[in-house]
Amino acid sequence: GEPWIELGAHTLLGADITLSAGFVPGLDLGPRPLLRIGDGCAIGRGSHVVAHASIEVGDFVYTGPHVYITDQNHS
């Protein structure tokens, strides 16, 4: 889902993370990003951000290590 992932300026991604958009590879997910991470963010090592419909992380948001963020598959 790389075409549907948008990273802001000066955002840092830790080692061994997962960024994912969409349910399965090869789908047309529309014209806009499903996963947007804003400017100046830091996503901690070992974290996972999984967007099936829409996730937006605002500007200057920091997460610790091993954080899991999703908009589906967990209540």
Side-chain angles (χ1 to χ4, degrees):
E2 289 178 23
W4 294 277
I5 297 172
E6 180 180 294
L7 298 177
H10 309 292
T11 289
L12 301 173
L13 303 176
D16 302 317
I17 69 163
T18 300
L19 300 179
S20 177
F23 287 102
V24 295
L27 295 178
D28 182 358
L29 302 174
R32 299 184 339 201
L34 296 185
L35 171 56
R36 182 186 179 280
I37 298 176
D39 295 337
C41 293
I43 305 300
R45 63 182 163 78
S47 293
H48 305 280
V49 185
V50 180
H52 295 279
S54 177
I55 291 177
E56 183 166 345
V57 176
D59 295 337
F60 306 106
V61 173
Y62 284 52
T63 72
H66 306 288
V67 171
Y68 186 79
I69 301 170
T70 187
D71 60 356
Q72 302 246 341
N73 77 359
H74 282 76
S75 54

